[in-house]
């Protein structure tokens, strides 16, 4: 019985890390089932939604449940869990060693520091402004508006802890900065500056995961992620619209 509990804990930890890091639900379930099968649990049952994980080592056994409240985007952690899973499937890791490796991944801070994310958002914003048809005079305004807006979103996310409100505040800041540049004669196209600057806030991964979950037959997860992406897009658009409405 002790070994079975260890298998359940191992699978739940792997699923928790992947789901909190932004993995698709079908990938989470597949990873948990493969790990359990490698350790001899042929009838393991797993069910994941964006906000929770259910797992049982057999269809007639008790079910383990874990609620997921905070989710982010950390593809590095997903890749690390996949690496551990492949080693388990190859028979290279015993349960205790695999569990220790997953605990290390769970506790590690693998995301880039905030200042680096802000710099990356700045270059992404300026580049998208050019890609969407803007001119070089639009690059610097989009560069600055995108970085300031992204920094504002990160700060608001810490204070409010509601992602939609944080993204709304970030888009409001972007609209204000873009308009200030235009009123001072810097920049050629307001819409290109704003479009480029909001791109770091756009929920591209959520939309992709929603489609992939729907294609894989995970209708609940796909629809819920799609609604989450839609609300995020609405928050971004509303923030910009509020500022433009005052012009």
């Amino acid at each position: 019985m002790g070994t079975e509990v260890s298998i359940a804990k191992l699978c739940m930890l792997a699923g928790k890390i992947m789901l909190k890091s932004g993995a698709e639900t079908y990938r989470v379930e597949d990873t948990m089932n493969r790990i359990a099968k490698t350790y001899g649990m042929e009838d393991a049952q797993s069910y994941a939604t964006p906000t929770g994980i259910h797992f049982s080592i057999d269809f007639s056994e008790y079910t383990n449940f874990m609620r997921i409240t905070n989710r982010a985007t950390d593809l590095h952690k997903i890749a690390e869990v996949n690496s551990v899973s492949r080693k388990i499937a190859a028979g290279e890791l015993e349960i205790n060693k695999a569990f220790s490796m997953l605990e290390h991944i769970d506790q590690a801070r693998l995301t880039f520091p905030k200042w680096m994310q802000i710099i990356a958002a700045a270059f992404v914003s300026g580049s998208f402004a050019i890609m969407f048809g803007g001119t070089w005079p639009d690059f610097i305004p989009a560069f600055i508006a995108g970085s300031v807006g992204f920094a504002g979103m990160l700060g608001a996310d810490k204070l409010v802890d509601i992602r939609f409100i944080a993204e709304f505040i970030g888009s409001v800041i972007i609209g204000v900065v873009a308009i200030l540049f235009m009123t001072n004669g810097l920049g050629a196209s307001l819409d290109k500056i704003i479009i480029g600057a909001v791109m770091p806030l756009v929920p591209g991964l959520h939309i992709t995961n929603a489609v992939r979950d729907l294609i894989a037959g995970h209708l609940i997860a796909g629809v819920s992620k799609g609604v989450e992406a839609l609300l995020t897009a609405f928050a971004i658009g509303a923030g910009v619209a509020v500022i433009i409405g005052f012009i």
Side-chain angles (χ1 to χ4, degrees):
M1 187 65 179
T3 301
E4 294 175 353
V5 172
S6 295
I7 293 171
K9 287 183 178 179
L10 178 66
C11 293
M12 291 288 286
L13 180 57
K16 167 195 168 186
I17 297 170
M18 295 185 72
L19 201 57
K20 290 183 69 174
S21 301
E24 309 94 319
T25 53
Y26 78 86
R27 188 189 298 274
V28 173
E29 294 179 4
D30 182 66
T31 299
M32 295 169 69
N33 289 338
R34 286 177 183 272
I35 292 174
K37 188 174 182 180
T38 299
Y39 289 123
M41 301 293 107
E42 296 290 338
D43 294 321
Q45 306 292 316
S46 63
Y47 177 69
T49 68
T51 56
I53 302 173
H54 298 76
F55 179 79
S56 175
I57 59 176
D58 187 84
F59 64 88
S60 61
E61 293 290 334
Y62 62 86
T63 299
N64 300 274
F65 172 74
M66 180 182 297
R67 182 166 180 79
I68 305 298
T69 54
N70 296 317
R71 298 183 303 280
T73 300
D74 195 337
L75 301 182
H76 191 175
K77 281 194 175 184
I78 296 174
E80 289 291 319
V81 174
N82 284 336
S83 177
V84 173
S85 175
R86 284 191 290 269
K87 290 180 180 179
I88 292 173
E92 299 176 5
L93 292 176
E94 61 176 0
I95 294 177
N96 292 335
K97 178 63 176 176
F99 189 80
S100 176
M101 292 177 67
L102 288 177
E103 279 190 318
H104 178 73
I105 295 171
D106 186 32
Q107 296 168 5
R109 299 182 62 87
L110 302 179
T111 53
F112 292 105
K114 295 292 189 292
W115 64 267
M116 191 175 293
Q117 293 181 40
I118 293 170
I119 292 175
F123 281 101
V124 166
S125 300
S127 300
F128 269 113
I130 300 297
M131 191 182 78
F132 285 129
T135 57
W136 284 110
D138 298 322
F139 181 86
I140 296 300
F143 182 97
I144 296 175
S147 61
V148 174
F150 191 80
M153 186 271 290
L154 292 178
D157 192 35
K158 270 191 171 183
L159 294 174
V160 182
D161 199 27
I162 301 175
R163 189 73 175 187
F164 305 123
I165 295 178
E167 285 158 347
F168 174 82
I169 293 174
S171 62
V172 167
I173 294 173
I174 288 171
V176 170
V177 174
I179 291 172
L180 286 176
F181 272 110
M182 290 299 296
T183 53
N184 286 280
L186 300 173
S189 175
L190 178 63
D191 58 338
K192 300 300 188 298
I193 295 171
I194 292 177
I195 290 172
V198 300
M199 286 308 293
L201 307 181
V202 173
L205 183 64
H206 293 296
I207 296 172
T208 302
N209 285 352
V211 173
R212 295 183 69 174
D213 277 330
L214 286 171
I215 292 174
H218 291 240
L219 302 181
I220 295 177
V223 171
S224 61
K225 287 183 179 179
V227 171
E228 183 180 4
L230 184 63
L231 288 173
T232 300
F234 176 79
I236 295 171
V240 174
V242 165
I243 297 305
I244 293 180
F246 283 105
I247 298 178

